[in-house]
Amino acid sequence: QVQLVESGGGLVQSGGSLRLSCAASGSFFSINKMGWYRQAPGKARELVAVIIGGETTNYADSVKGRFTISRDNAKNTVYLQMNSLIPEDTAVYYCNAYIRIITGKDYWGQGTQVTVSS
C-alpha cells in the first residue's frame, strides 16, 4: 500500500519560514513527478510547485522567488521550503506524487495546515 506522509506545517508570522516534507512509503516501481498543492477555505485546490525527476521544477506565479521545491530520490521524499510567508499562503497543503506500481496513478497525502498570521 502506497502512502504519502506529510509533516512540517504549523503557525508562523508573516515574513517567516516553514519547511514541509512528504515521504512516500510502500512497494512501487518508480515515482515520476512529486509536488505540492494547496487549498484555502472556499477556494479550489491549486498547484504550488512540482518537481519532475530530480531537476525540472515548476512554480505557481504567486510563490516564485519565495518557495523552493526539492527532492531526495534515495529517500522518496519531497520538500517545500517556504520563505517570506504572507497571510495569503494560509491553506491546507497537500503532497502529490505520480507513482508507478504496475500502471501509474496520482497519490495524495492527508494534508498539513499552514497558517500565516499578519
Side-chain angles (χ1 to χ4, degrees), residues 4 7 18 29 38 45 58 61 66 81 102 104 110 115:
L4 299 178
S7 61
L18 283 173
F29 178 69
R38 67 186 181 186
R45 189 173 297 189
N58 189 33
D61 287 342
R66 300 188 297 122
Q81 178 65 44
I102 297 176
Q110 79 282 2
T115 302

Side-chain angles (χ1 to χ4, degrees), residues 11-54:
L11 173 64
V12 64
Q13 288 187 333
S14 184
S17 298
L18 283 173
R19 188 191 194 210
L20 304 183
S21 300
C22 171
S25 63
S27 298
F28 46 84
F29 178 69
S30 65
I31 302 177
N32 184 0
K33 66 175 177 68
M34 300 187 81
W36 293 92
Y37 289 71
R38 67 186 181 186
Q39 188 166 19
K43 295 188 177 181
R45 189 173 297 189
E46 63 175 0
L47 173 69
V48 176
V50 63
I51 183 166
I52 301 171

Side-chain angles (χ1 to χ4, degrees), residues 1-109:
Q1 176 122 6
V2 175
Q3 285 188 315
L4 299 178
V5 179
E6 301 143 338
S7 61
L11 173 64
V12 64
Q13 288 187 333
S14 184
S17 298
L18 283 173
R19 188 191 194 210
L20 304 183
S21 300
C22 171
S25 63
S27 298
F28 46 84
F29 178 69
S30 65
I31 302 177
N32 184 0
K33 66 175 177 68
M34 300 187 81
W36 293 92
Y37 289 71
R38 67 186 181 186
Q39 188 166 19
K43 295 188 177 181
R45 189 173 297 189
E46 63 175 0
L47 173 69
V48 176
V50 63
I51 183 166
I52 301 171
E55 297 179 359
T56 302
T57 59
N58 189 33
Y59 295 91
D61 287 342
S62 60
V63 307
K64 283 180 181 177
R66 300 188 297 122
F67 291 10
T68 303
I69 190 170
S70 61
R71 178 174 169 178
D72 185 334
N73 289 330
K75 296 181 179 180
N76 296 317
T77 299
V78 63
Y79 306 95
L80 185 68
Q81 178 65 44
M82 304 185 292
N83 298 329
S84 302
L85 285 161
I86 58 178
E88 290 75 17
D89 294 319
T90 295
V92 177
Y93 284 69
Y94 295 92
C95 176
N96 167 266
Y98 188 82
I99 297 175
R100 287 184 58 198
I101 300 176
I102 297 176
T103 58
K105 72 171 189 177
D106 279 309
Y107 289 82
W108 293 90

